[in-house]
Amino acid sequence: MRILLVLLALVVATSAFDFNVLQDKVLALLRKAEHATLDPIIDAAVKDALAETAKIQRPALLAKPHSDGSLRFRILQIPDLHYTNLALYPCDHKPDTMLGLCVEAYMTTMVSKMLDDVKPDFVVFTGDQLEALHFPQTWLGSLAAINTYAAEVEKRKIPWAMVFGNHDENVDPYLFANKHVMMAYIESLPHSYAKFGPYGIGGAGNYELRVAAGGASLHLYFLDTGKDGTVSAGQKALLRSFAASHAPEKAPALAFYHIPVQEYNDFNGTGQGSKGEAVSSGVMNTGLFDTMVQMGDVKASFCGHDHFNDYCFLRGTVHLCYGGGVGYGAAYAKGDHPRTARVIEWSVSPKNESNHHLALQAQHQKHRRQVLGLPARRPHCLSQP
């Protein structure tokens, strides 16, 4: 069957047919043939690994005292790294002001500098950490790439979590990067708080975390938006169950996922940041935004996917925010467009624990004589009385 796929590729590549459509059909047939024999083997191994990682006790996530008496928790969102794990992989459009060669290894230097400048309490990678779609990576290769993108966070012992993007898994996960295998491995890393979540509801990595600040709390929701932004009924039901389980707290929540919902198209320039490209949301609106509104606790959602968008705006009761794009190497870029990440800071008033404040701040990576700086844009804030 795999030989047939190669032959088809050779024949169709020079024809008038849409090769991508035909390739998808052939791969679907391959997956259908392999499901019955390979899925049980993979699932059994993954579930055994998850049973072991479930025994790991992670320290509680706690907001830290600040000089003004408040408790604060700072999150750094790192979007769209696209690691091939080849240190010398050339950059797609290096920064115009950058001297010398631009290669993937520079991305690790940038992440290191960003962590030291921001000093986050928590890091969230919002998808496309790997470039496994256009640059096939074996299972072992994908685990090595995970070690690379998480290295600077692990080195500093910073708690972190992640969601998958559409480039993290290969089109043939039976031979190349497989989300189930990767998530089982990610759960085992020393400072990872990521979880596989329920099996069989769509993707891998649908879960919740809690941050405590005295008697107050902040809930973090993580969702796998798959290859095309589709969110299943099971995933939405899981989110609703999270919100219902702590409804009496009236605590705020933040949602992290990779592919933006269609409502991101409603940005009209009012808010923070700018729109540098069209919104690449899923073709179908599967109701994730409406679900977040109905839940009532989600104050903001954060995605990646579209590297040239870094805006954040209020749509109804939910702030819809991009992280931008951080990647060097395989990540698509422009010479005159800065790499961006986002800082999210939650603070709780010392006098009133119900007074929550969220600052959503875009951070730009700019280059000057090959020295990385991290000047901040004006913070975009939202308060919950």
Side-chain angles (χ1 to χ4, degrees):
M1 289 292 285
R2 299 192 188 285
I3 295 174
L4 173 63
L5 177 60
V6 174
L7 292 175
L8 281 171
L10 292 174
V11 172
V12 178
T14 57
S15 72
F17 293 105
D18 187 329
F19 171 66
N20 290 325
V21 172
L22 182 56
Q23 175 181 260
D24 289 345
K25 289 181 179 179
V26 174
L27 286 171
L29 290 173
L30 282 173
R31 285 194 288 268
K32 184 177 181 180
E34 292 168 328
H35 276 180
T37 54
L38 294 181
D39 275 352
I41 297 172
I42 295 171
D43 289 346
V46 168
K47 288 177 180 178
D48 285 346
L50 294 175
E52 291 302 311
T53 56
K55 300 174 185 177
I56 300 173
Q57 297 295 316
R58 305 289 187 196
L61 297 173
L62 303 174
K64 297 178 180 178
H66 193 261
S67 58
D68 64 1
S70 66
L71 294 171
R72 298 188 180 186
F73 191 79
R74 179 176 292 178
I75 301 170
L76 175 62
Q77 177 197 358
I78 300 180
D80 294 81
L81 293 163
H82 290 266
Y83 268 103
T84 65
N85 216 31
L86 293 178
L88 297 180
Y89 194 98
C91 294
D92 180 306
H93 293 88
K94 76 172 186 177
D96 290 343
T97 56
M98 184 179 182
L99 304 177
L101 296 176
C102 181
V103 294
E104 181 174 286
Y106 196 72
M107 183 157 55
T108 302
T109 302
M110 183 203 68
V111 170
S112 175
K113 182 67 165 62
M114 186 161 52
L115 292 171
D116 290 341
D117 284 353
V118 175
K119 294 180 173 56
D121 301 305
F122 195 74
V123 172
V124 178
F125 296 98
T126 49
D128 286 359
Q129 286 77 249
L130 275 60
E131 181 47 72
L133 184 61
H134 298 147
F135 187 87
Q137 301 194 36
T138 64
W139 285 11
L140 287 177
S142 66
L143 302 189
I146 290 168
N147 288 338
T148 299
Y149 84 68
E152 296 303 314
V153 181
E154 285 288 337
K155 185 189 303 182
R156 291 164 177 77
K157 300 181 179 181
I158 301 172
W160 61 278
M162 48 67 67
V163 293
F164 284 121
N166 56 309
H167 284 249
D168 285 301
E169 185 176 62
N170 190 258
V171 291
D172 189 353
Y174 296 105
L175 279 182
F176 301 104
N178 181 298
K179 285 196 293 190
H180 286 199
V181 173
M182 288 189 286
M183 183 55 82
Y185 178 69
I186 289 168
E187 274 205 25
S188 73
L189 296 177
H191 300 93
S192 167
Y193 280 66
K195 300 177 183 178
F196 191 105
Y199 238 87
I201 66 169
N206 303 293
Y207 59 102
E208 175 191 21
L209 297 174
R210 177 180 180 271
V211 183
S217 62
L218 171 70
H219 295 268
L220 309 177
Y221 302 146
F222 302 86
L223 203 65
D224 183 355
T225 49
K227 295 186 182 301
D228 60 2
T230 298
V231 177
S232 72
Q235 288 174 291
K236 289 180 288 186
L238 180 68
L239 287 179
R240 286 193 291 268
S241 72
F242 289 155
S245 69
H246 49 73
E249 296 180 37
K250 298 189 182 301
L254 306 177
F256 296 91
Y257 49 89
H258 180 67
I259 297 178
V261 295
Q262 289 187 358
E263 286 76 8
Y264 273 78
N265 283 293
D266 295 337
F267 177 65
N268 62 6
T270 301
Q272 177 211 56
S274 60
K275 182 176 182 179
E277 63 178 304
V279 175
S280 299
S281 56
V283 176
M284 293 182 60
N285 190 330
T286 52
L288 174 57
F289 178 78
D290 289 340
T291 298
M292 292 190 293
V293 171
Q294 292 162 9
M295 288 160 60
D297 61 340
V298 177
K299 304 306 174 186
S301 77
F302 304 89
C303 70
H305 196 52
D306 301 324
H307 302 186
F308 303 147
N309 292 338
D310 65 359
Y311 59 80
C312 184
F313 74 108
L314 182 63
R315 170 65 155 79
T317 59
V318 180
H319 283 76
L320 300 179
C321 303
Y322 272 106
V326 172
Y328 289 78
Y332 73 85
K334 292 179 182 178
D336 61 352
H337 192 279
R339 272 68 172 177
T340 64
R342 184 171 291 279
V343 174
I344 306 148
E345 189 168 271
W346 175 57
S347 63
V348 178
S349 166
K351 295 181 180 179
N352 183 356
E353 288 184 343
S354 67
N355 183 14
H356 304 274
H357 181 76
L358 286 165
L360 315 175
Q361 184 169 302
Q363 298 284 349
H364 278 197
Q365 291 293 334
K366 294 187 177 179
H367 302 264
R368 187 176 182 84
R369 298 180 183 175
Q370 293 186 310
V371 177
L372 283 166
L374 197 62
R377 281 189 170 192
R378 181 182 177 185
H380 181 64
C381 303
L382 60 101
S383 296
Q384 180 192 11

